[in-house]
Amino acid sequence: MSYAPESIAYHQGEYKPLKDCNVNIMTHALQYGTMVFGGLRGYYDAESDNVYLFRPEDHMRRLHRSAHIMQMVPPLSESKMVEVALEITRRNNYRCNVYYRPFVYKDALQLSPRLHDVTDDFAMYSLVLDDYLDTSRGMRTVVSSWRRIDENIIPTRAKVSGGYANSALAKSEAVQHGFDEAIFLDSRGFVSEGSAENIFMVRDGVLITPPVTASVLEGITRRSILELARLEGMTVLERDIARTELYIADELFFCGTGAQVAWIEEVDRRIIADGQIGPITRRLRDRFRQAVIGKDPETRNWVRPVFESRVNA
Ligand code: PMP
């Protein structure tokens, strides 16, 4: 993942090199974290020489909903935002895995920390991105000493940039103590999510994840995993998870656009089950990997191929 100054991004209504997409230091979003964002992936499939956007409509719908919560008015519709992601892919002529960062931000040069009467703009950039977490091994995790922000502080349902200070505190604490990732508890003390991933647990063959009222982001990968599990005939439950249930779980994994499906080997220095990836996690991970490149027949409508044809382009 690196900054590519010449890559084409979208800002202030036009496509231009990323190095020319800049804002004034007085910008409201920079001062107060009043920006809402999305993060979606495009997967490159060499066989078809195409890039597949994963559930772009769902990502843009969530972005619009985040904006609505924060009283922002995006200048582009959901479908126009999908068009921008497609156009960015074409203009950069990508033949690799891509991560897109669309966002709506309060762009006014305005001093007061408020939501009303402050103008908004939309922008999107992209990066070449393979794995965000190393999914070839198990994650070593720790329950964070930082609590997850909750609904009446900064709602995690809205993907607000200011709320990510909470994620950054937890992530750095975990990594600086030698772990890979943090697990947040919510303000009630129940398991919430990782710093940038939702969490799933398997107990006695049942797939369990915290409900959307446990201060989590309503993850699109989370929803996809629940849907794939139902297609696989698994029993799924959205219910609160207590901290020590993690220690005695049969399987645990994170999921998210960045993380994809990343299995958890250890929590608070307790090895989970036999310390290997579990069979349900493996099944869901393998099916998810097929789904993201449009090769899972039952979920083909989740992906949007970018190029109509690209013979020797
Ligand atoms: N929780 C948080 C806090 C996140 O930042 C993310 C990443 N967007 C997720 C969960 C996973 O959500 P999604 O599957 O939509 O990427």
Side-chain angles (χ1 to χ4, degrees), residues 59 62 148 159 164 193 195-198 217 219-221 256-257:
H59 277 279
R62 183 177 69 193
R148 190 72 176 127
K159 206 165 157 54
Y164 277 75
E193 60 179 344
S195 70
E197 310 85 16
N198 291 110
L217 179 73
I220 287 155
T221 319
T257 296

Side-chain angles (χ1 to χ4, degrees), residues 102-241:
F103 58 100
V104 182
Y105 68 105
K106 297 227 156 272
D107 69 339
L109 310 184
Q110 206 285 124
L111 191 63
S112 130
R114 64 174 196 236
L115 298 179
H116 64 282
D117 297 338
V118 185
T119 55
D120 308 307
D121 200 7
F122 168 76
M124 193 185 311
Y125 64 86
S126 62
L127 296 167
V128 172
L129 179 69
D130 283 317
D131 279 353
Y132 167 73
L133 296 175
D134 180 0
T135 49
S136 65
R137 59 179 182 82
M139 295 289 106
R140 297 183 54 244
T141 70
V142 65
V143 169
S144 186
S145 73
W146 298 96
R147 282 298 164 105
R148 190 72 176 127
I149 43 175
D150 79 10
E151 182 77 0
N152 295 299
I153 297 177
I154 301 174
T156 52
R157 197 179 324 287
K159 206 165 157 54
V160 187
S161 61
Y164 277 75
N166 182 233
S167 290
L169 287 164
K171 178 78 180 185
S172 285
E173 180 190 53
V175 171
Q176 288 168 353
H177 282 90
F179 299 94
D180 298 307
E181 186 54 282
I183 297 173
F184 274 120
L185 304 182
D186 68 13
S187 57
R188 304 164 307 154
F190 288 106
V191 173
S192 176
E193 60 179 344
S195 70
E197 310 85 16
N198 291 110
I199 191 166
F200 279 83
M201 169 175 83
V202 177
R203 283 194 75 183
D204 300 324
V206 180
L207 184 69
I208 306 166
T209 195
V212 293
T213 45
S215 295
V216 301
L217 179 73
E218 295 186 7
I220 287 155
T221 319
R222 173 186 180 279
R223 194 185 323 146
S224 305
I225 292 294
L226 287 171
E227 289 172 34
L228 289 176
R230 289 194 182 102
L231 289 172
E232 290 279 319
M234 295 175 187
T235 309
V236 299
L237 261 184
E238 294 178 61
R239 69 146 170 91
D240 283 323
I241 296 176

